[in-house]
Amino acid sequence: MNLVIGIAAAGMCWAAAAAAAIPPPVYDFCTAEIEVVVDESGHATFAGDTCDGDNQVLDHLCDGFVTHMGREDYYAVPLAPGQAFTAVVAHEGDAVLLVTDVCIVYGTMFPCLAGADAAGPGGVETITYANPGAAATFHLVIDSHATAGCGAYTLELSNYLDPGADTLL
């Protein structure tokens, strides 16, 4: 009897150790994003459809813990120190906008630098983000609340110098 209990206990310890050794899932949209290049006046226009997008951003901390299981499109927005961008998205579905500083996470939680989710289906979402530090690429995620909330959209993006910064574009 003691041998059976010992084997069972050893099996449970091994299973717990194996579960702890399993790495978290990797969510990566780095190769799927579109790099934003603005014209000489600092503007760029895009048209897309989240229905043919991916679903890499499952969880984020914009306005508390949020999970969106809809499809997404991704845009890489390079910003100089003190530079900012505003994105205006007119969406046929129900869009959520997220700005993050990473395009890959281990686990499901993407950090949120800014978020917008004020308009409902068929609405217009607007988000602005200013770079507080060194030159970097930030990531704009156009997410759908759910797969059924996906749809075509237009993105109007403009970048500019943050009024409080002392550097030029």
Side-chain angles (χ1 to χ4, degrees):
M1 181 78 147
N2 287 341
L3 178 62
V4 172
I5 292 172
I7 292 171
M12 287 189 296
C13 289
W14 179 85
I22 296 172
V26 176
Y27 291 92
D28 178 355
F29 62 81
C30 299
T31 59
E33 63 187 346
I34 298 168
E35 185 163 347
V36 172
V37 178
V38 296
D39 62 21
E40 60 279 347
S41 62
H43 294 88
T45 302
F46 300 91
D49 192 327
T50 54
C51 292
D52 61 10
D54 206 350
N55 189 20
Q56 294 293 318
V57 181
L58 303 180
D59 305 320
H60 56 81
L61 290 171
C62 289
D63 300 322
F65 179 80
V66 179
T67 298
H68 295 292
M69 298 309 288
R71 299 198 173 269
E72 305 127 4
D73 283 348
Y74 317 100
Y75 293 87
V77 184
L79 294 177
Q83 195 175 26
F85 76 88
T86 296
V88 178
V89 177
H91 196 273
E92 288 180 3
D94 193 358
V96 177
L97 306 182
L98 164 73
V99 177
T100 185
D101 57 352
V102 298
C103 59
I104 184 171
V105 294
Y106 301 92
T108 62
M109 187 63 65
F110 276 84
C112 177
L113 303 176
D117 185 17
V124 176
E125 296 286 356
T126 302
I127 194 167
T128 298
Y129 181 75
N131 179 4
T137 297
F138 297 92
H139 311 279
L140 172 65
V141 178
I142 301 176
D143 199 351
S144 303
H145 271 285
T147 302
C150 67
Y153 65 87
T154 58
L155 164 62
E156 297 288 331
L157 190 136
S158 58
N159 65 8
Y160 54 89
L161 185 64
D162 184 17
D166 59 0
T167 58
L168 300 175
L169 287 176

